Amino acid sequence: MIDNKKISKFAISVIHDLQNHNFQAYLVGGCVRDALSGIEPKDFDIATSATPEQVRKIFKASRIIGKRFKLVHVFNRSELLEVATFRSGNNQTNDDANLIKDEAGKILRDNVWGTLDQDCYRRDFTVNALYYCPISKTIEDKSDGLKHIHKKVIVSIGDPQRRFEEDPVRSLRAIRFSNKLGFKIDNNVKEAIYDKGHLLSSISNARLFDEFCKIFLGGMGEKNFIKLCSFNLNKYLILTDPNKSDFSNDIMIRALRNTDDRIRNNQSVTPGFLIAALLWPILISKCSKDGEINIRKFFRSMDGVLKEQQKLTAVPRKFNSYIKDIWVLQLKLHSRIKSQPYKTIRHPRFRAAYDFLLVRESASRDKNGLGKWWTDFQKNDDSLRGSLISRMNEKSDEESSKIFGFYNELR
Ligand code: ATP
Ligand code: MG
């Protein structure tokens, strides 16, 4: 049973108010699933028989949002709840049909109101279709969700082949939930992922960027990436190096592991850092020859790589300069003579670039000690800095001309 202490007081009060106005109202989706699986629920979604306009009237601090999928945001100073009206998901039941599909069966709009039973059958997986009333402390379970939570398995509501045609993003969601919860993916769902995964190419880059963030920046990035690769779906979220070297796979895995570790340690994470790291192998594959980077090509390839990635996921523009800074700083970090290191360390993206250098080094098993050099240089001691630089100044011209040689990474 669910302990109400784990549930947001604000969510309970909103449900109370809706029920006092004679509407049905329940917590639904991820919060119920997570609370029952021993995971701290993070956001609270509410399903109700009230229409968006009726919800809007009850709560002063609320706003109707969405077109494809209309719902109401109800908020107080610190929390925001999504309140969704029960949907029928069936355009035969309503004259004012507003469920629109394209030729491939994909749902373009889903705003046909219905009952709790109907609402349940348009949700994606049984574990996501449990309705909890925190007032009566009862659960409505129309699709064996409780049984599947107990058996730890992700099962589709209805035929997964058809459900994934309606919304191909469900295959990414199945993968994400299975890792988050430690659940198996039911065989029929697995088959549908293999069969219908290619339909992800029809999903807007804006929606795929949202899903990118949930999949890679939710603390389970490494596991999600491995599972995505096993279904060959990674290519819908991130550009991949056609040569698929061990290095490119390794650097992606290590960058994701680094992000997961940061989340575990409550450190900040940004899509910018991760995208810079995930696209690094493809960037250097475009501008390298015989183990050397062609600097001019490097600068020319950056925008092209970002543009290609943009076709997959709509990375907000503000991250572009961040990503390019991290890339360019990788070159600058190699240059350690005269006053250059003092300039580099003052760069606002220095810390991110240094973190990425360490990721690169661990992936390429680089023994050149560049990361160690910068670790030492950051110790704010003038004489140590001076001696670190003078050691570099003494190196032969031939050696300093190798500063841009990414030998291990390119082999
Ligand atoms: P989390 O918040 O941890 O990502 P969640 O299950 O709450 O998981 P949301 O995207 O917040 O995911 O969606 C809330 C609920 O809405 C889901 O549990 C599911 O019942 C339903 N839902 C969301 N997206 C879809 C979809 N693409 N197809 C069908 N039902 C969906
Ligand atoms: Mg949710």
Side-chain angles (χ1 to χ4, degrees):
M1 211 4 92
I2 293 177
D3 178 0
N4 275 2
K5 283 201 206 90
K6 288 191 181 155
I7 306 293
S8 135
K9 288 203 176 67
F10 180 47
I12 297 179
S13 81
V14 167
I15 289 178
H16 221 283
D17 290 348
L18 286 164
Q19 293 185 354
N20 281 345
H21 283 82
N22 291 324
F23 295 112
Q24 290 170 280
Y26 297 86
L27 284 164
V28 69
C31 60
V32 181
R33 173 199 72 213
D34 291 352
L36 288 166
S37 317
I39 297 175
E40 193 78 24
K42 62 169 172 48
D43 53 31
F44 296 90
D45 297 322
I46 292 171
T48 179
S49 56
T51 64
E53 289 71 23
Q54 287 167 329
V55 176
R56 174 75 194 86
K57 262 194 201 143
I58 298 173
F59 302 98
K60 263 206 193 109
S62 67
R63 172 172 65 224
I64 296 179
I65 61 144
K67 187 171 168 200
R68 195 179 75 90
F69 196 90
K70 215 186 213 187
L71 44 81
V72 188
H73 277 168
V74 179
F75 42 90
N76 65 11
R77 230 174 274 153
S78 55
E79 272 181 87
L80 183 144
L81 303 172
E82 285 193 348
V83 180
T85 305
F86 294 146
R87 281 168 166 76
S88 87
N90 177 355
N91 47 0
Q92 259 115 67
T93 60
N94 195 327
D95 285 344
D96 182 26
N98 215 352
L99 182 96
I100 301 170
K101 293 187 182 184
D102 70 5
E103 318 84 72
K106 188 173 81 178
I107 294 178
L108 300 177
R109 198 177 290 171
D110 179 1
N111 288 319
V112 188
W113 315 139
T115 62
L116 185 147
D117 281 47
Q118 290 169 324
D119 188 76
C120 167
Y121 291 107
R122 48 148 294 280
R123 291 183 180 269
D124 46 6
F125 304 106
T126 62
V127 296
N128 284 344
L130 292 163
Y131 299 72
Y132 174 61
C133 171
I135 318 293
S136 63
K137 297 192 172 171
T138 51
I139 291 178
E140 296 289 333
D141 175 13
K142 312 282 178 194
S143 59
D144 281 339
L146 284 171
K147 184 174 102 187
H148 297 144
I149 284 194
H150 185 70
K151 287 174 94 176
K152 293 183 182 284
V153 57
I154 304 290
V155 178
S156 164
I157 293 180
D159 173 16
Q161 300 275 344
R162 183 178 57 81
R163 302 303 313 278
F164 287 16
E165 273 169 16
E166 282 176 3
D167 182 3
V169 171
R170 289 171 184 153
S171 38
L172 300 177
R173 290 172 58 85
I175 290 171
R176 181 157 63 82
F177 295 137
S178 91
N179 282 331
K180 175 175 180 174
L181 302 162
F183 286 14
K184 290 192 311 264
I185 300 178
D186 170 65
N187 283 339
N188 292 328
V189 173
K190 273 190 191 160
E191 245 169 67
I193 300 178
Y194 284 121
D195 294 348
K196 305 295 175 189
H198 66 277
L199 296 173
L200 281 166
S201 61
S202 72
I203 300 297
S204 75
N205 61 352
R207 192 158 174 228
L208 285 179
F209 181 70
D210 287 346
E211 205 53 41
F212 174 99
C213 292
K214 289 184 186 174
I215 281 204
F216 294 134
L217 295 160
M220 284 281 172
E222 181 183 356
K223 278 192 169 170
N224 285 339
F225 180 73
I226 292 169
K227 208 165 242 178
L228 283 169
C229 291
S230 74
F231 287 105
N232 201 16
L233 296 187
N234 51 319
K235 62 181 180 202
Y236 297 104
L237 292 177
I238 192 83
L239 282 184
T240 34
D241 177 4
N243 308 320
K244 279 204 181 139
S245 66
D246 285 349
F247 162 72
S248 62
N249 192 54
D250 211 19
I251 199 161
M252 288 169 125
I253 294 281
R254 281 171 198 267
L256 289 160
R257 193 178 300 160
N258 175 276
T259 302
D260 292 345
D261 289 344
R262 289 183 67 91
I263 292 169
R264 202 167 314 115
N265 299 326
N266 293 319
Q267 291 170 285
S268 63
V269 292
T270 139
F273 180 88
L274 190 62
I275 291 169
L278 294 177
L279 295 179
W280 178 255
I282 194 150
L283 174 68
I284 61 171
S285 78
K286 282 190 189 302
C287 55
S288 63
K289 210 176 158 200
D290 305 327
E292 286 290 331
I293 296 278
N294 177 326
I295 302 296
R296 229 196 272 155
K297 264 196 182 166
F298 182 94
F299 280 92
R300 261 191 277 139
S301 305
M302 290 198 296
D303 282 323
V305 168
L306 287 175
K307 219 170 165 185
E308 284 299 304
Q309 177 62 33
Q310 194 69 17
K311 289 184 193 158
L312 297 177
T313 63
V315 181
R317 223 172 266 282
K318 64 179 177 192
F319 292 118
N320 279 5
S321 65
Y322 180 98
I323 293 168
K324 288 198 270 183
D325 280 350
I326 291 184
W327 287 343
V328 172
L329 278 164
Q330 297 312 301
L331 306 186
K332 296 215 163 130
L333 287 167
H334 282 262
S335 165
R336 289 167 288 165
I337 50 173
K338 301 184 185 153
S339 60
Q340 185 59 46
Y342 291 101
K343 284 189 203 148
T344 304
I345 204 169
R346 278 200 302 272
H347 193 287
R349 308 276 175 248
F350 167 77
R351 186 64 211 200
Y354 162 76
D355 285 344
F356 180 46
L357 171 68
L358 298 184
V359 170
R360 279 174 52 215
E361 277 195 349
S362 65
S364 67
R365 290 165 197 87
D366 192 319
K367 301 282 183 297
N368 288 332
L370 184 58
K372 167 86 171 58
W373 192 94
W374 279 103
T375 309
D376 291 342
F377 193 78
Q378 284 174 81
K379 294 176 188 151
N380 198 7
D381 169 339
D382 280 342
S383 67
L384 174 67
R385 285 184 172 183
S387 77
L388 284 166
I389 291 178
S390 58
R391 248 182 277 157
M392 295 315 296
N393 288 342
E394 282 160 17
K395 296 221 169 179
S396 67
D397 276 357
E398 196 213 338
E399 268 178 278
S400 36
S401 72
K402 278 189 189 164
I403 53 174
F404 297 134
F406 292 63
Y407 298 104
N408 293 339
E409 293 181 33
L410 299 173
R411 220 166 260 153

